[in-house]
Amino acid sequence: MSSMNGKAVVTATNGKPAANGVKTDVILLPVPATKKEDFKKEIEDLPPLEDRLHRINQLFEVQSKYNRLQSSLSKLNQFQLEKQGERNRLSILDEQRNEFATHNPDIIAEVTSFLKAKITEKIKAIEPLLKW
C-alpha cells in the first residue's frame, strides 16, 4: 500500500512482487450481512408480479390522459382570436348532428378561457396519480 495525496493506494499482485519489487496483498472485505438481508427483504416485500403489471397499466392510462390534456391545452393556447370580422368560428356538434355555431369573438374568447381553466384543473387532479 502506498500513499498519494493522503489517500491509500493498494496494488494487487496476487502475492507476487510488483514491478517496483514491493509485495502487496489484497484484502477483500465481506459485504455486511445487513445489506444482503435488506435486499432480500425488499424483494420479499414486492407485490406479486400481476399486481405490479396492473399498476404499470394504470399508470400508462393516467399518463395517456395527462398527455391528451396537455396537447389540448397547447392547441387552445395557439388560438389567435381577431376582434373584428367573422373569421373566427366556434361550433359544437352532438351525436345527432345538431350543431351550434357562433362567430362572436367575445363568446369564443370566453369559451376558450373556460376550457383552458377546466383542462388545467383536470391536469392538476391527475398529477398526484402519476406516482409509482
Side-chain angles (χ1 to χ4, degrees):
M1 182 178 338
S2 62
S3 177
M4 295 179 71
N5 297 332
K7 296 182 181 177
V9 177
V10 177
T11 306
T13 61
N14 296 328
K16 298 178 184 174
N20 60 5
V22 177
K23 183 178 177 180
T24 58
D25 291 316
V26 174
I27 300 171
L28 298 175
L29 300 175
V31 175
T34 56
K35 287 186 180 180
K36 287 180 184 177
E37 291 171 4
D38 289 343
F39 181 71
K40 286 180 183 177
K41 185 178 179 185
E42 285 179 20
I43 291 174
E44 291 171 0
D45 289 345
L46 284 175
L49 179 61
E50 289 178 11
D51 293 345
R52 289 181 280 162
L53 291 174
H54 178 68
R55 179 65 182 143
I56 289 171
N57 288 332
Q58 287 176 326
L59 283 171
F60 181 72
E61 289 174 21
V62 172
Q63 179 197 15
S64 295
K65 288 178 185 178
Y66 180 84
N67 289 343
R68 284 192 306 268
L69 288 169
Q70 287 286 3
S71 176
S72 296
L73 187 59
S74 176
K75 287 178 185 177
L76 281 173
N77 286 330
Q78 292 175 2
F79 279 12
Q80 296 178 356
L81 302 175
E82 295 179 16
K83 295 288 183 183
Q84 302 290 327
E86 293 191 6
R87 298 186 76 189
N88 301 315
R89 180 173 186 252
L90 172 70
S91 63
I92 301 171
L93 184 67
D94 69 6
E95 289 183 11
Q96 286 82 34
R97 301 242 181 235
N98 294 322
E99 181 180 17
F100 166 80
T102 183
H103 294 279
N104 185 320
D106 293 329
I107 292 175
I108 295 172
E110 283 187 46
V111 170
T112 55
S113 174
F114 173 79
L115 289 173
K116 288 177 191 178
K118 279 300 190 184
I119 291 171
T120 302
E121 185 180 303
K122 289 187 180 276
I123 288 172
K124 296 284 186 209
I126 285 178
E127 285 176 348
L129 301 176
L130 289 170
K131 64 179 180 178
W132 179 247

